Amino acid sequence: MSNESRAGARLPLEVVEDGRVTIDEVTFALGDSETTGGRTRAFIVRPEDSAARPVVLFAHGTGIDAEYYIDEARRGARLGLAGICVDLPYRPPFPGPLYSDERDRTALAEAVTVLRQTVDLAEQLPGLDAGRIGFIGLSLGATVGMHLRAVEPRISAFALVSAVARIADYSSFPDHPATRELVEAGRLDAYLDLMSEVDPVTNARAPSGAPVLLQFGSDDWLVPRSSADELTSTLGAAADARWYPAAHELDVQAQDDRLRWLADGLSGDRPTD
């Protein structure tokens, strides 16, 4: 079944559910962390009823924080999904996009830890079905998501938005002041080796049965087509790659598609052809 016919056969999200949505802001303790201060903030967005709902974790990119995804989580709640939007270690004031040293790898590794502890939180909260968990990540959040897929079996489906195969593939990377400093200091190769541990293409090779929806924008100047194609190819049959006439953050159609895709997958209703 083509992406177009699959999307066209469905009703708009707004007519699926007209019940009320609750939004709770919480903070919770983390393990040892160099960048989070030992606690982080999350928003829990869910339908206002007593049913146990499938959970979607939302991972933001650089320059933004957990609040970025609240509106999308509200749309997901209309599909019966509970969302957890969590602050990650590279939120502001972390410099965008990166420091270009060891702190980058540390922040991304700690983001994976934060998200795994968010899964722990979901298992403890009422009204959440922690046996059905999905993930949405944008840009650097997609990088974290691919790493998470390699190590966290409790998450069963991943929607990755504007992902690259490697951190250095971003079109902005060569001209970033920190990158120029790496080149001048002769440390670029060492930095790329360091970051290869968390590069999406590295983690895409890890054994995992979790399907991945990859969403890309044809007008996204940050993600080269060659990098998107390499990541898609590396994932192989696990990937469902879709392109949109949009820039880096994509558009409402892409948002609706990934929420539908996760709702279908977490309910066991995703089409297989």
Side-chain angles (χ1 to χ4, degrees), residues 101-180:
D101 61 28
E102 170 67 28
R103 290 171 290 182
D104 296 344
R105 190 202 63 80
T106 298
L108 293 177
E110 287 189 352
V112 172
T113 299
V114 169
L115 287 160
R116 297 192 77 180
Q117 291 178 329
T118 305
V119 175
D120 295 340
L121 175 68
E123 292 180 330
Q124 301 169 24
L125 293 175
L128 304 183
D129 183 352
R132 295 185 291 166
I133 300 179
F135 176 92
I136 293 174
L138 166 67
S139 196
L140 204 59
T143 293
V144 172
M146 190 59 72
H147 190 173
L148 192 64
R149 178 178 179 266
V151 299
E152 181 49 83
R154 293 175 293 178
I155 302 177
S156 57
F158 291 79
L160 306 182
V161 183
S162 300
V164 287
R166 298 172 182 81
I167 296 292
D169 288 348
Y170 285 113
S171 297
S172 60
F173 183 81
D175 295 325
H176 193 274
T179 305
R180 292 199 294 268

Side-chain angles (χ1 to χ4, degrees), residues 50-231:
S50 59
R53 299 293 185 171
V55 181
V56 177
L57 306 185
F58 290 89
H60 59 79
T62 55
I64 51 180
D65 59 22
E67 295 184 31
Y68 173 86
Y69 267 124
I70 290 177
D71 284 346
E72 182 167 341
R74 288 175 62 93
R75 294 172 70 83
R78 300 189 186 109
L79 287 176
L81 300 170
I84 304 181
C85 312
V86 61
D87 277 337
L88 296 171
Y90 50 80
R91 69 188 184 280
F94 192 94
L98 297 167
Y99 284 106
S100 293
D101 61 28
E102 170 67 28
R103 290 171 290 182
D104 296 344
R105 190 202 63 80
T106 298
L108 293 177
E110 287 189 352
V112 172
T113 299
V114 169
L115 287 160
R116 297 192 77 180
Q117 291 178 329
T118 305
V119 175
D120 295 340
L121 175 68
E123 292 180 330
Q124 301 169 24
L125 293 175
L128 304 183
D129 183 352
R132 295 185 291 166
I133 300 179
F135 176 92
I136 293 174
L138 166 67
S139 196
L140 204 59
T143 293
V144 172
M146 190 59 72
H147 190 173
L148 192 64
R149 178 178 179 266
V151 299
E152 181 49 83
R154 293 175 293 178
I155 302 177
S156 57
F158 291 79
L160 306 182
V161 183
S162 300
V164 287
R166 298 172 182 81
I167 296 292
D169 288 348
Y170 285 113
S171 297
S172 60
F173 183 81
D175 295 325
H176 193 274
T179 305
R180 292 199 294 268
E181 291 178 10
L182 286 173
V183 173
E184 292 169 2
R187 295 190 295 111
L188 180 60
D189 287 344
Y191 175 78
L192 296 179
D193 287 343
L194 174 72
M195 296 304 291
S196 68
E197 300 174 21
V198 293
D199 277 335
V201 72
T202 300
N203 289 297
R205 300 187 183 103
S208 172
V212 181
L213 174 64
L214 294 172
Q215 295 184 304
F216 302 107
S218 58
D219 298 328
D220 183 359
W221 69 274
L222 280 171
V223 178
R225 179 72 189 235
S226 58
S227 183
D229 289 345
E230 181 182 4
L231 182 59

